[in-house]
Amino acid sequence: MYHQPVLLQESIAGLINNPDGIYVDVTYGGGGHSREILNQLSPNGKLLGFDQDKDAAKNALQDPRFQFVQSNFKHLKKFLQFYKVYPVDGILGDLGVSSHQFDEPSRGFSYRFDEPLDMRMDTTKGTTAADIINTSPNQKLAKLLFAFGEVQNAHKIAALIEKARQINPIQTTGQLVEAIMPVLPKGKENKTLSQIFQALRIEVNAEIEALQSLLEQSTDALKPRGRIAIISYHSLEDRLVKNFFKTGNIEGKLHKDFYGNPLTPFKLITKKAIVPTEQEIEKNPRARSAKLRIAEKVTSDE
């Protein structure tokens, strides 16, 4: 399977409140969530699926209600206006990497294979993980490893990377693992490697900036009572989504009117994040860190 959708029933049930509406899956991937959205829509409904990965385009659903958009979701508003479907009834985002991307060795997302350090979602442009590893100053490298991967000994790892690249450029996943192996915590090698690769992937694809852009655009891109559902896998992403849904701004600062009432464009559908059941995690271990949050755009009289 290209990708096993996470929190499928929970996310779709919380997203759709108008079967005749227009919906957007901003992380199409293998089409798992999109397929279920279409199952819940009437013949009058419409769905757009965004994905910048050309591999995802090969999985585009053959349904007259569906439109595939090969683009990063940070361009959401532009394409919704282009297809004359602005604003919409719902937006779904399943952040992170698909199983296909992890399991395709040539993409360089996984430390399980010795392949070129790429990690670009869109392989036609941009900076690769090898570029970042070989050109980033020591302090910057340590900072991104800690910020995006929560790597505890980030400075030691960055120092080893700098030492290794002075001898030979680090071009493959295997070379990177070999360079940092001496400082990986005993018994936690795989966990630490996952954190390091996650941090590099987030930096390569500017994922935090793209998420911020998506959230900011969603305020106007949603109709009143339209819903946005985001599945995140990293505390930095989840905190961003949580704060935005509560306050309506990236800073997470709640503004109030003269009477002390909160001024926010959203109301929370999920007071707490929804997490996968033990049964789902058993079937799909990659779901273990997933958190789903759903919000609804308020109407002018709310």
Side-chain angles (χ1 to χ4, degrees):
M1 181 182 283
Y2 186 100
H3 181 68
Q4 192 169 341
V6 174
L7 291 164
L8 179 61
Q9 301 305 324
E10 296 90 339
S11 59
I12 306 307
L15 175 73
I16 296 176
N17 58 8
N18 176 16
D20 295 325
I22 302 164
Y23 290 84
V24 188
D25 180 351
V26 298
T27 50
Y28 180 76
H33 285 101
S34 283
R35 194 172 288 105
E36 187 58 29
I37 291 172
L38 287 173
N39 286 341
Q40 302 301 321
L41 295 184
S42 75
N44 299 319
K46 187 171 179 62
L47 173 66
L48 280 80
F50 279 68
D51 207 301
Q52 62 187 321
D53 190 336
K54 67 180 188 301
D55 286 353
K58 301 170 187 174
N59 299 302
L61 293 166
Q62 301 304 306
D63 189 303
R65 299 170 296 168
F66 178 72
Q67 174 66 55
F68 182 79
V69 182
Q70 190 168 331
S71 174
N72 188 299
F73 54 63
K74 66 184 179 184
H75 302 300
L76 177 72
K77 181 178 179 179
K78 180 176 76 173
F79 280 99
L80 293 186
Q81 289 177 330
F82 175 79
Y83 287 107
K84 296 181 172 56
V85 291
Y86 188 87
V88 299
D89 295 273
I91 299 169
L92 171 74
D94 180 11
L95 307 177
V97 182
S98 72
S99 299
H100 168 76
Q101 289 167 327
F102 266 128
D103 295 336
E104 181 60 42
S106 64
R107 303 298 295 272
F109 284 108
S110 175
Y111 57 84
R112 293 182 291 125
F113 314 104
D114 185 14
E115 292 288 340
L117 268 169
D118 194 319
M119 298 196 193
R120 291 172 298 168
M121 301 279 194
D122 181 350
T123 56
T124 64
K125 58 189 175 187
T127 302
T128 67
D131 295 330
I132 289 167
I133 285 290
N134 289 297
T135 63
S136 298
N138 187 314
Q139 291 299 316
K140 182 182 178 183
L141 200 53
K143 188 176 179 181
L144 80 87
L145 289 175
F146 183 76
F148 296 159
E150 299 173 300
V151 179
Q152 295 304 309
N153 56 344
H155 285 284
K156 288 183 179 178
I157 289 169
L160 270 189
I161 289 171
E162 185 176 46
K163 183 179 177 183
R165 74 190 187 193
Q166 286 174 349
I167 301 168
N168 283 306
I170 299 172
Q171 301 291 359
T172 70
T173 53
Q175 288 172 332
L176 175 58
V177 172
E178 185 180 359
I180 62 180
M181 190 59 76
V183 292
L184 295 181
K186 295 289 182 259
K188 295 182 178 179
E189 292 89 349
N190 288 346
K191 180 185 178 183
T192 307
L193 284 170
S194 294
Q195 292 171 308
I196 292 166
F197 274 63
Q198 171 185 275
L200 289 170
R201 188 203 81 224
I202 290 173
E203 176 73 6
V204 165
N205 297 288
E207 292 180 30
I208 300 302
E209 293 90 334
L211 175 58
Q212 289 176 338
S213 178
L214 171 68
L215 293 172
E216 289 175 332
Q217 291 178 71
S218 71
T219 307
D220 292 327
L222 284 170
K223 296 176 183 177
R225 293 212 170 94
R227 291 188 174 185
I228 178 168
I230 302 290
I231 303 168
S232 60
Y233 299 83
H234 179 263
S235 60
L236 199 61
E237 295 168 337
D238 180 58
R239 191 160 54 245
L240 195 57
V241 173
K242 177 183 177 181
N243 289 340
F244 190 85
F245 284 0
K246 279 187 175 181
T247 66
N249 59 72
I250 293 299
E251 295 75 27
K253 293 179 181 177
L254 186 62
H255 300 290
K256 298 183 179 182
D257 64 14
F258 179 78
Y259 301 101
N261 301 310
L263 290 169
T264 172
F266 297 106
K267 69 176 181 182
L268 301 179
I269 300 301
T270 53
K271 302 297 183 187
K272 290 184 177 180
I274 297 172
V275 297
T277 62
E278 289 182 13
Q279 290 90 335
E280 179 171 3
I281 294 171
E282 192 175 322
K283 289 180 183 175
N284 182 14
R286 286 173 180 160
R288 65 184 176 275
S289 57
K291 289 185 176 181
L292 166 66
R293 296 186 187 274
I294 306 170
E296 181 177 291
K297 186 174 177 179
V298 297
T299 57
S300 56
D301 57 351
E302 284 184 276

